[in-house]
Amino acid sequence: MDVLRYTENSEASRIRPKHILNLNTDEKLEFLASFDRVFSDIDGVAWNLTSSIPRAVEGYQALLEAGKTLNFISNNSVRSPSEYERKFKDIGLEVDLDALVHPAKSILQYLKHINFKGLIYVIATERVKDMLREAGYDIIDGPTKIIKESFSDLARNVFGDEPVRAVIIDVDFNLSSPKLIRAHVFLRHPDCILIEGATDKLLPVGNDLDIIGPGPFAQVLAGSSKKHLITLGKPGKELGEMLVKNFEIEETKRVLMIGDMLEQDIGFGRQCGFQTLAVLSGGCKLQDLERETIRDNIPDYYADSIADFIEFMNDLNKSNV
């Protein structure tokens, strides 16, 4: 376990996240007693792109046995909620779908909350589109074909009189300039709202490899249209308000947010008033913590992985012998 280092002239130099296994017995007891509910990210915490995090299930079980309520919250809508449920079963963890916070589920709840009735233009995966259709919403998408390099052909594919009153943008592996242009055209209507799911600027897909996420494209639409971006993925304010209401959270400080992304997970947790713990098993490495200077992205605690809670609880059990 490494000790975090910060330069003395940095504002962050006064903020030193503590590794949970470096806490003394009294500090461990105080930390464990300070939260009742855990919100855990999934990718990079429970598993990575190609494999599970070693002993992650045992780490979660240690928290459950300590009496903590466990919920999972993901920005990844490439998997449907039912696919997440099967994936959890595959690694040996039973997770009720009600305990899973998923971008499409949050978007659907928001649309229901505002009693939305209009046509929706969607830039997202087919799974998200299917969930919207199954919930009874009318959607359109595209264009999906290659546009000739002429303004006349572009115009034929992006201009129309469809009464779109909401644009939704999330992960779309087939995102294109014409799709963004078409979304911008719809957003010119004063009653058309803009909703985003995942906010990630970068998506980790392997060791030291990441790709551009949907976040920058959502910002392009927000900037070009001057619309308020309703954010229902981490670290969205609207999502945070939804969670506090859905789970009837009375004291936000008694919630622990665990994640592997500093802006999406830790920033989200701090914005909500939760305690925060970063794990180094996914998109965040020790050097990322050391370099971080944005106060809201620096966690209260950190661990090598969720599996550290196994040793954490064993240490406390030994101290009680």
Short mmCIF file of all heavy atoms in Angstrom, two decimals, residues 44-101:
data_model
loop_
_atom_site.label_atom_id
_atom_site.label_comp_id
_atom_site.label_asym_id
_atom_site.label_seq_id
_atom_site.Cartn_x
_atom_site.Cartn_y
_atom_site.Cartn_z
N GLY A 44 -15.03 -1.37 -13.02
CA GLY A 44 -13.82 -0.91 -12.34
C GLY A 44 -13.84 -1.16 -10.85
O GLY A 44 -12.82 -0.99 -10.17
N VAL A 45 -15.01 -1.57 -10.32
CA VAL A 45 -15.13 -1.86 -8.89
C VAL A 45 -15.51 -3.32 -8.67
O VAL A 45 -14.84 -4.05 -7.94
CB VAL A 45 -16.16 -0.94 -8.21
CG1 VAL A 45 -16.18 -1.18 -6.70
CG2 VAL A 45 -15.84 0.52 -8.50
N ALA A 46 -16.60 -3.77 -9.32
CA ALA A 46 -17.00 -5.17 -9.25
C ALA A 46 -16.28 -6.00 -10.31
O ALA A 46 -15.92 -7.16 -10.08
CB ALA A 46 -18.50 -5.31 -9.41
N TRP A 47 -16.10 -5.41 -11.48
CA TRP A 47 -15.40 -6.09 -12.57
C TRP A 47 -14.82 -5.05 -13.53
O TRP A 47 -15.17 -3.88 -13.49
CB TRP A 47 -16.35 -7.03 -13.32
CG TRP A 47 -17.59 -6.39 -13.86
CD1 TRP A 47 -17.69 -5.46 -14.84
CD2 TRP A 47 -18.95 -6.63 -13.44
NE1 TRP A 47 -19.00 -5.10 -15.07
CE2 TRP A 47 -19.79 -5.80 -14.22
CE3 TRP A 47 -19.52 -7.49 -12.50
CZ2 TRP A 47 -21.17 -5.80 -14.07
CZ3 TRP A 47 -20.90 -7.47 -12.35
CH2 TRP A 47 -21.71 -6.65 -13.12
N ASN A 48 -13.91 -5.51 -14.36
CA ASN A 48 -13.38 -4.70 -15.45
C ASN A 48 -13.92 -5.23 -16.77
O ASN A 48 -14.76 -6.13 -16.78
CB ASN A 48 -11.84 -4.71 -15.42
CG ASN A 48 -11.30 -3.80 -14.35
OD1 ASN A 48 -11.76 -2.67 -14.18
ND2 ASN A 48 -10.31 -4.28 -13.60
N LEU A 49 -13.42 -4.70 -17.87
CA LEU A 49 -13.97 -5.04 -19.18
C LEU A 49 -13.90 -6.54 -19.46
O LEU A 49 -14.84 -7.13 -20.00
CB LEU A 49 -13.21 -4.27 -20.27
CG LEU A 49 -13.75 -4.42 -21.70
CD1 LEU A 49 -15.15 -3.83 -21.80
CD2 LEU A 49 -12.81 -3.73 -22.70
N THR A 50 -12.80 -7.18 -19.07
CA THR A 50 -12.60 -8.58 -19.44
C THR A 50 -12.63 -9.56 -18.28
O THR A 50 -12.63 -10.77 -18.50
CB THR A 50 -11.24 -8.74 -20.17
OG1 THR A 50 -10.19 -8.28 -19.31
CG2 THR A 50 -11.23 -7.93 -21.47
N SER A 51 -12.64 -9.08 -17.04
CA SER A 51 -12.58 -10.00 -15.90
C SER A 51 -13.16 -9.36 -14.65
O SER A 51 -13.31 -8.13 -14.58
CB SER A 51 -11.12 -10.42 -15.63
OG SER A 51 -10.34 -9.28 -15.31
N SER A 52 -13.45 -10.21 -13.67
CA SER A 52 -13.93 -9.71 -12.39
C SER A 52 -12.75 -9.22 -11.55
O SER A 52 -11.62 -9.68 -11.73
CB SER A 52 -14.67 -10.82 -11.63
OG SER A 52 -15.79 -11.27 -12.36
N ILE A 53 -13.02 -8.31 -10.64
CA ILE A 53 -12.00 -7.87 -9.69
C ILE A 53 -11.81 -9.01 -8.68
O ILE A 53 -12.79 -9.48 -8.09
CB ILE A 53 -12.44 -6.59 -8.96
CG1 ILE A 53 -12.77 -5.47 -9.95
CG2 ILE A 53 -11.37 -6.15 -7.96
CD1 ILE A 53 -11.62 -5.02 -10.81
N PRO A 54 -10.58 -9.48 -8.48
CA PRO A 54 -10.36 -10.60 -7.55
C PRO A 54 -10.97 -10.33 -6.17
O PRO A 54 -10.76 -9.28 -5.58
CB PRO A 54 -8.83 -10.69 -7.48
CG PRO A 54 -8.37 -10.16 -8.79
CD PRO A 54 -9.33 -9.04 -9.13
N ARG A 55 -11.78 -11.29 -5.72
CA ARG A 55 -12.39 -11.31 -4.39
C ARG A 55 -13.34 -10.13 -4.15
O ARG A 55 -13.67 -9.81 -3.01
CB ARG A 55 -11.31 -11.36 -3.30
CG ARG A 55 -10.35 -12.54 -3.42
CD ARG A 55 -9.48 -12.66 -2.19
NE ARG A 55 -10.24 -13.20 -1.06
CZ ARG A 55 -9.76 -13.27 0.20
NH1 ARG A 55 -8.53 -12.83 0.44
NH2 ARG A 55 -10.48 -13.77 1.16
N ALA A 56 -13.80 -9.52 -5.23
CA ALA A 56 -14.74 -8.39 -5.08
C ALA A 56 -16.02 -8.83 -4.38
O ALA A 56 -16.54 -8.12 -3.51
CB ALA A 56 -15.06 -7.79 -6.44
N VAL A 57 -16.52 -10.00 -4.74
CA VAL A 57 -17.77 -10.48 -4.13
C VAL A 57 -17.60 -10.63 -2.62
O VAL A 57 -18.47 -10.24 -1.83
CB VAL A 57 -18.21 -11.81 -4.76
CG1 VAL A 57 -19.39 -12.41 -4.00
CG2 VAL A 57 -18.59 -11.61 -6.22
N GLU A 58 -16.45 -11.16 -2.19
CA GLU A 58 -16.18 -11.31 -0.76
C GLU A 58 -16.12 -9.94 -0.08
O GLU A 58 -16.53 -9.79 1.08
CB GLU A 58 -14.88 -12.06 -0.54
CG GLU A 58 -14.92 -13.51 -1.00
CD GLU A 58 -13.55 -14.15 -0.92
OE1 GLU A 58 -13.08 -14.37 0.21
OE2 GLU A 58 -12.94 -14.42 -1.98
N GLY A 59 -15.58 -8.95 -0.78
CA GLY A 59 -15.53 -7.61 -0.23
C GLY A 59 -16.92 -7.05 0.00
O GLY A 59 -17.21 -6.45 1.05
N TYR A 60 -17.79 -7.24 -0.98
CA TYR A 60 -19.17 -6.79 -0.82
C TYR A 60 -19.87 -7.56 0.30
O TYR A 60 -20.64 -6.99 1.08
CB TYR A 60 -19.94 -6.97 -2.13
CG TYR A 60 -19.60 -5.97 -3.20
CD1 TYR A 60 -19.17 -6.39 -4.47
CD2 TYR A 60 -19.70 -4.60 -2.96
CE1 TYR A 60 -18.86 -5.47 -5.46
CE2 TYR A 60 -19.39 -3.68 -3.96
CZ TYR A 60 -18.96 -4.11 -5.20
OH TYR A 60 -18.65 -3.20 -6.18
N GLN A 61 -19.61 -8.87 0.36
CA GLN A 61 -20.23 -9.68 1.42
C GLN A 61 -19.80 -9.20 2.80
O GLN A 61 -20.59 -9.20 3.75
CB GLN A 61 -19.86 -11.16 1.24
CG GLN A 61 -20.47 -11.82 0.02
CD GLN A 61 -21.98 -11.98 0.11
OE1 GLN A 61 -22.61 -11.68 1.12
NE2 GLN A 61 -22.59 -12.46 -0.98
N ALA A 62 -18.55 -8.77 2.92
CA ALA A 62 -18.07 -8.25 4.20
C ALA A 62 -18.86 -7.02 4.62
O ALA A 62 -19.20 -6.85 5.80
CB ALA A 62 -16.58 -7.93 4.11
N LEU A 63 -19.18 -6.16 3.66
CA LEU A 63 -19.99 -4.97 3.96
C LEU A 63 -21.42 -5.36 4.34
O LEU A 63 -22.00 -4.79 5.27
CB LEU A 63 -20.00 -4.04 2.76
CG LEU A 63 -18.71 -3.26 2.50
CD1 LEU A 63 -18.74 -2.61 1.11
CD2 LEU A 63 -18.51 -2.19 3.57
N LEU A 64 -21.98 -6.32 3.61
CA LEU A 64 -23.34 -6.77 3.93
C LEU A 64 -23.40 -7.41 5.31
O LEU A 64 -24.34 -7.16 6.08
CB LEU A 64 -23.81 -7.77 2.86
CG LEU A 64 -24.08 -7.19 1.47
CD1 LEU A 64 -24.31 -8.32 0.46
CD2 LEU A 64 -25.28 -6.25 1.49
N GLU A 65 -22.40 -8.21 5.64
CA GLU A 65 -22.37 -8.86 6.96
C GLU A 65 -22.17 -7.85 8.08
O GLU A 65 -22.53 -8.12 9.24
CB GLU A 65 -21.26 -9.91 6.98
CG GLU A 65 -21.59 -11.13 6.11
CD GLU A 65 -20.41 -12.07 5.93
OE1 GLU A 65 -19.36 -11.83 6.60
OE2 GLU A 65 -20.52 -13.02 5.14
N ALA A 66 -21.60 -6.70 7.73
CA ALA A 66 -21.44 -5.63 8.72
C ALA A 66 -22.72 -4.81 8.88
O ALA A 66 -22.75 -3.82 9.61
CB ALA A 66 -20.28 -4.72 8.33
N GLY A 67 -23.77 -5.22 8.17
CA GLY A 67 -25.06 -4.57 8.31
C GLY A 67 -25.30 -3.39 7.38
O GLY A 67 -26.25 -2.62 7.58
N LYS A 68 -24.47 -3.26 6.35
CA LYS A 68 -24.62 -2.14 5.44
C LYS A 68 -25.61 -2.48 4.31
O LYS A 68 -25.66 -3.60 3.83
CB LYS A 68 -23.27 -1.75 4.83
CG LYS A 68 -22.16 -1.54 5.85
CD LYS A 68 -22.54 -0.51 6.93
CE LYS A 68 -21.45 -0.38 7.97
NZ LYS A 68 -21.83 0.55 9.07
N THR A 69 -26.39 -1.48 3.90
CA THR A 69 -27.28 -1.62 2.76
C THR A 69 -26.49 -1.30 1.50
O THR A 69 -25.81 -0.27 1.44
CB THR A 69 -28.47 -0.67 2.88
OG1 THR A 69 -29.20 -0.97 4.08
CG2 THR A 69 -29.40 -0.81 1.68
N LEU A 70 -26.58 -2.17 0.50
CA LEU A 70 -25.75 -2.04 -0.69
C LEU A 70 -26.60 -1.76 -1.92
O LEU A 70 -27.54 -2.50 -2.22
CB LEU A 70 -24.94 -3.33 -0.89
CG LEU A 70 -24.01 -3.41 -2.10
CD1 LEU A 70 -22.95 -2.32 -2.06
CD2 LEU A 70 -23.34 -4.80 -2.15
N ASN A 71 -26.25 -0.69 -2.62
CA ASN A 71 -26.86 -0.37 -3.91
C ASN A 71 -25.77 -0.16 -4.94
O ASN A 71 -24.66 0.25 -4.61
CB ASN A 71 -27.69 0.91 -3.82
CG ASN A 71 -28.84 0.81 -2.84
OD1 ASN A 71 -28.74 1.27 -1.71
ND2 ASN A 71 -29.94 0.20 -3.26
N PHE A 72 -26.10 -0.45 -6.19
CA PHE A 72 -25.14 -0.28 -7.27
C PHE A 72 -25.62 0.82 -8.20
O PHE A 72 -26.80 0.90 -8.54
CB PHE A 72 -24.96 -1.58 -8.05
CG PHE A 72 -24.24 -2.64 -7.26
CD1 PHE A 72 -24.94 -3.58 -6.50
CD2 PHE A 72 -22.85 -2.69 -7.24
CE1 PHE A 72 -24.28 -4.54 -5.77
CE2 PHE A 72 -22.18 -3.64 -6.50
CZ PHE A 72 -22.89 -4.57 -5.76
N ILE A 73 -24.68 1.66 -8.64
CA ILE A 73 -25.02 2.78 -9.51
C ILE A 73 -23.99 2.86 -10.63
O ILE A 73 -22.79 2.96 -10.39
CB ILE A 73 -25.09 4.09 -8.70
CG1 ILE A 73 -25.30 5.29 -9.61
CG2 ILE A 73 -23.87 4.28 -7.82
CD1 ILE A 73 -25.61 6.56 -8.85
N SER A 74 -24.48 2.77 -11.86
CA SER A 74 -23.59 2.74 -13.02
C SER A 74 -23.95 3.83 -14.02
O SER A 74 -25.11 4.22 -14.13
CB SER A 74 -23.68 1.37 -13.72
OG SER A 74 -22.85 1.34 -14.87
N ASN A 75 -22.93 4.30 -14.75
CA ASN A 75 -23.16 5.19 -15.89
C ASN A 75 -23.22 4.41 -17.19
O ASN A 75 -23.43 5.00 -18.25
CB ASN A 75 -22.02 6.22 -15.99
CG ASN A 75 -22.31 7.49 -15.21
OD1 ASN A 75 -23.30 7.57 -14.48
ND2 ASN A 75 -21.44 8.48 -15.35
N ASN A 76 -23.01 3.11 -17.12
CA ASN A 76 -22.87 2.28 -18.31
C ASN A 76 -24.22 1.70 -18.73
O ASN A 76 -24.73 0.77 -18.09
CB ASN A 76 -21.87 1.16 -18.05
CG ASN A 76 -21.59 0.30 -19.27
OD1 ASN A 76 -22.22 0.48 -20.32
ND2 ASN A 76 -20.66 -0.61 -19.15
N SER A 77 -24.78 2.23 -19.80
CA SER A 77 -26.07 1.74 -20.30
C SER A 77 -25.90 0.77 -21.47
O SER A 77 -26.89 0.38 -22.10
CB SER A 77 -26.95 2.91 -20.74
OG SER A 77 -26.31 3.65 -21.76
N VAL A 78 -24.66 0.40 -21.78
CA VAL A 78 -24.44 -0.59 -22.84
C VAL A 78 -25.08 -1.91 -22.45
O VAL A 78 -25.60 -2.64 -23.28
CB VAL A 78 -22.94 -0.74 -23.14
CG1 VAL A 78 -22.69 -1.83 -24.17
CG2 VAL A 78 -22.36 0.59 -23.64
N ARG A 79 -25.02 -2.23 -21.14
CA ARG A 79 -25.75 -3.38 -20.62
C ARG A 79 -27.13 -2.94 -20.14
O ARG A 79 -27.28 -1.87 -19.55
CB ARG A 79 -25.02 -4.01 -19.42
CG ARG A 79 -23.79 -4.82 -19.75
CD ARG A 79 -23.35 -5.60 -18.51
NE ARG A 79 -22.12 -6.33 -18.76
CZ ARG A 79 -20.91 -5.86 -18.50
NH1 ARG A 79 -20.77 -4.66 -17.97
NH2 ARG A 79 -19.83 -6.58 -18.76
N SER A 80 -28.13 -3.76 -20.37
CA SER A 80 -29.46 -3.48 -19.84
C SER A 80 -29.49 -3.89 -18.37
O SER A 80 -28.62 -4.64 -17.90
CB SER A 80 -30.51 -4.29 -20.61
OG SER A 80 -30.34 -5.68 -20.35
N PRO A 81 -30.48 -3.42 -17.60
CA PRO A 81 -30.58 -3.84 -16.20
C PRO A 81 -30.64 -5.36 -16.02
O PRO A 81 -30.00 -5.90 -15.12
CB PRO A 81 -31.88 -3.17 -15.73
CG PRO A 81 -31.96 -1.93 -16.56
CD PRO A 81 -31.44 -2.34 -17.91
N SER A 82 -31.36 -6.04 -16.89
CA SER A 82 -31.44 -7.51 -16.77
C SER A 82 -30.09 -8.16 -17.06
O SER A 82 -29.75 -9.18 -16.45
CB SER A 82 -32.51 -8.06 -17.71
OG SER A 82 -32.23 -7.73 -19.05
N GLU A 83 -29.31 -7.58 -17.97
CA GLU A 83 -27.97 -8.10 -18.24
C GLU A 83 -27.06 -7.89 -17.04
O GLU A 83 -26.21 -8.73 -16.75
CB GLU A 83 -27.40 -7.44 -19.49
CG GLU A 83 -28.05 -7.92 -20.78
CD GLU A 83 -27.58 -7.13 -22.00
OE1 GLU A 83 -27.48 -5.89 -21.92
OE2 GLU A 83 -27.32 -7.77 -23.03
N TYR A 84 -27.22 -6.77 -16.35
CA TYR A 84 -26.46 -6.55 -15.12
C TYR A 84 -26.82 -7.62 -14.10
O TYR A 84 -25.96 -8.17 -13.41
CB TYR A 84 -26.76 -5.17 -14.54
CG TYR A 84 -25.86 -4.08 -15.06
CD1 TYR A 84 -26.35 -3.09 -15.91
CD2 TYR A 84 -24.52 -4.02 -14.71
CE1 TYR A 84 -25.53 -2.08 -16.39
CE2 TYR A 84 -23.69 -3.02 -15.18
CZ TYR A 84 -24.20 -2.06 -16.03
OH TYR A 84 -23.38 -1.07 -16.50
N GLU A 85 -28.12 -7.90 -13.97
CA GLU A 85 -28.57 -8.89 -13.00
C GLU A 85 -27.92 -10.25 -13.28
O GLU A 85 -27.43 -10.93 -12.34
CB GLU A 85 -30.09 -9.01 -13.05
CG GLU A 85 -30.68 -9.93 -12.00
CD GLU A 85 -32.19 -10.01 -12.09
OE1 GLU A 85 -32.73 -9.93 -13.22
OE2 GLU A 85 -32.84 -10.15 -11.05
N ARG A 86 -27.87 -10.64 -14.55
CA ARG A 86 -27.24 -11.92 -14.91
C ARG A 86 -25.74 -11.89 -14.66
O ARG A 86 -25.16 -12.88 -14.20
CB ARG A 86 -27.53 -12.25 -16.38
CG ARG A 86 -28.98 -12.64 -16.66
CD ARG A 86 -29.13 -13.26 -18.03
NE ARG A 86 -28.83 -12.33 -19.10
CZ ARG A 86 -29.73 -11.52 -19.66
NH1 ARG A 86 -30.97 -11.53 -19.22
NH2 ARG A 86 -29.39 -10.71 -20.65
N LYS A 87 -25.10 -10.77 -14.95
CA LYS A 87 -23.67 -10.64 -14.73
C LYS A 87 -23.33 -10.77 -13.26
O LYS A 87 -22.35 -11.44 -12.88
CB LYS A 87 -23.19 -9.30 -15.28
CG LYS A 87 -21.71 -9.01 -15.07
CD LYS A 87 -20.81 -9.86 -15.93
CE LYS A 87 -19.36 -9.41 -15.81
NZ LYS A 87 -18.43 -10.27 -16.57
N PHE A 88 -24.13 -10.14 -12.41
CA PHE A 88 -23.90 -10.27 -10.98
C PHE A 88 -24.06 -11.72 -10.53
O PHE A 88 -23.27 -12.22 -9.71
CB PHE A 88 -24.87 -9.38 -10.20
CG PHE A 88 -24.43 -7.94 -10.07
CD1 PHE A 88 -25.21 -6.91 -10.59
CD2 PHE A 88 -23.25 -7.61 -9.43
CE1 PHE A 88 -24.81 -5.59 -10.47
CE2 PHE A 88 -22.83 -6.29 -9.31
CZ PHE A 88 -23.62 -5.28 -9.83
N LYS A 89 -25.06 -12.41 -11.05
CA LYS A 89 -25.24 -13.82 -10.71
C LYS A 89 -24.04 -14.64 -11.14
O LYS A 89 -23.61 -15.57 -10.44
CB LYS A 89 -26.52 -14.36 -11.35
CG LYS A 89 -27.80 -13.90 -10.68
CD LYS A 89 -29.02 -14.54 -11.32
CE LYS A 89 -30.29 -14.08 -10.63
NZ LYS A 89 -31.51 -14.67 -11.24
N ASP A 90 -23.48 -14.30 -12.30
CA ASP A 90 -22.33 -15.04 -12.82
C ASP A 90 -21.12 -14.94 -11.89
O ASP A 90 -20.32 -15.88 -11.81
CB ASP A 90 -21.94 -14.52 -14.22
CG ASP A 90 -22.92 -14.93 -15.29
OD1 ASP A 90 -23.72 -15.86 -15.04
OD2 ASP A 90 -22.91 -14.32 -16.38
N ILE A 91 -20.97 -13.80 -11.21
CA ILE A 91 -19.82 -13.66 -10.31
C ILE A 91 -20.16 -14.07 -8.88
O ILE A 91 -19.30 -14.01 -7.99
CB ILE A 91 -19.25 -12.22 -10.32
CG1 ILE A 91 -20.23 -11.22 -9.72
CG2 ILE A 91 -18.83 -11.82 -11.74
CD1 ILE A 91 -19.63 -9.82 -9.52
N GLY A 92 -21.42 -14.50 -8.66
CA GLY A 92 -21.80 -15.03 -7.36
C GLY A 92 -22.43 -14.02 -6.41
O GLY A 92 -22.39 -14.21 -5.19
N LEU A 93 -23.06 -12.97 -6.96
CA LEU A 93 -23.68 -11.96 -6.11
C LEU A 93 -25.13 -11.77 -6.55
O LEU A 93 -25.40 -11.50 -7.71
CB LEU A 93 -22.92 -10.64 -6.23
CG LEU A 93 -23.17 -9.57 -5.17
CD1 LEU A 93 -22.74 -10.07 -3.79
CD2 LEU A 93 -22.43 -8.28 -5.51
N GLU A 94 -26.04 -11.92 -5.62
CA GLU A 94 -27.45 -11.72 -5.90
C GLU A 94 -27.80 -10.25 -5.72
O GLU A 94 -27.68 -9.70 -4.62
CB GLU A 94 -28.31 -12.58 -4.97
CG GLU A 94 -28.20 -14.08 -5.21
CD GLU A 94 -28.86 -14.51 -6.51
OE1 GLU A 94 -29.81 -13.82 -6.96
OE2 GLU A 94 -28.43 -15.53 -7.08
N VAL A 95 -28.21 -9.60 -6.79
CA VAL A 95 -28.54 -8.18 -6.74
C VAL A 95 -29.95 -7.97 -7.28
O VAL A 95 -30.24 -8.33 -8.42
CB VAL A 95 -27.53 -7.34 -7.56
CG1 VAL A 95 -27.96 -5.87 -7.59
CG2 VAL A 95 -26.13 -7.46 -6.97
N ASP A 96 -30.81 -7.41 -6.45
CA ASP A 96 -32.17 -7.10 -6.88
C ASP A 96 -32.12 -5.90 -7.82
O ASP A 96 -31.37 -4.94 -7.58
CB ASP A 96 -33.02 -6.77 -5.65
CG ASP A 96 -34.50 -6.69 -5.98
OD1 ASP A 96 -34.88 -5.81 -6.79
OD2 ASP A 96 -35.27 -7.49 -5.44
N LEU A 97 -32.91 -5.94 -8.89
CA LEU A 97 -32.91 -4.83 -9.84
C LEU A 97 -33.31 -3.51 -9.20
O LEU A 97 -32.92 -2.44 -9.68
CB LEU A 97 -33.84 -5.16 -11.02
CG LEU A 97 -33.30 -6.16 -12.04
CD1 LEU A 97 -34.30 -6.35 -13.17
CD2 LEU A 97 -31.96 -5.72 -12.59
N ASP A 98 -34.08 -3.56 -8.11
CA ASP A 98 -34.45 -2.33 -7.42
C ASP A 98 -33.23 -1.67 -6.77
O ASP A 98 -33.26 -0.48 -6.46
CB ASP A 98 -35.50 -2.61 -6.35
CG ASP A 98 -36.86 -2.96 -6.95
OD1 ASP A 98 -37.09 -2.58 -8.11
OD2 ASP A 98 -37.67 -3.61 -6.26
N ALA A 99 -32.17 -2.45 -6.56
CA ALA A 99 -30.95 -1.92 -5.95
C ALA A 99 -29.98 -1.38 -6.99
O ALA A 99 -28.91 -0.89 -6.65
CB ALA A 99 -30.25 -3.00 -5.12
N LEU A 100 -30.36 -1.47 -8.27
CA LEU A 100 -29.49 -1.02 -9.36
C LEU A 100 -29.96 0.31 -9.92
O LEU A 100 -31.11 0.46 -10.33
CB LEU A 100 -29.48 -2.07 -10.48
CG LEU A 100 -28.75 -1.68 -11.77
CD1 LEU A 100 -27.25 -1.52 -11.52
CD2 LEU A 100 -29.01 -2.72 -12.86
N VAL A 101 -29.06 1.28 -9.94
CA VAL A 101 -29.33 2.59 -10.55
C VAL A 101 -28.66 2.60 -11.91
O VAL A 101 -27.44 2.44 -12.02
CB VAL A 101 -28.79 3.73 -9.67
CG1 VAL A 101 -29.11 5.08 -10.32
CG2 VAL A 101 -29.38 3.66 -8.26
#
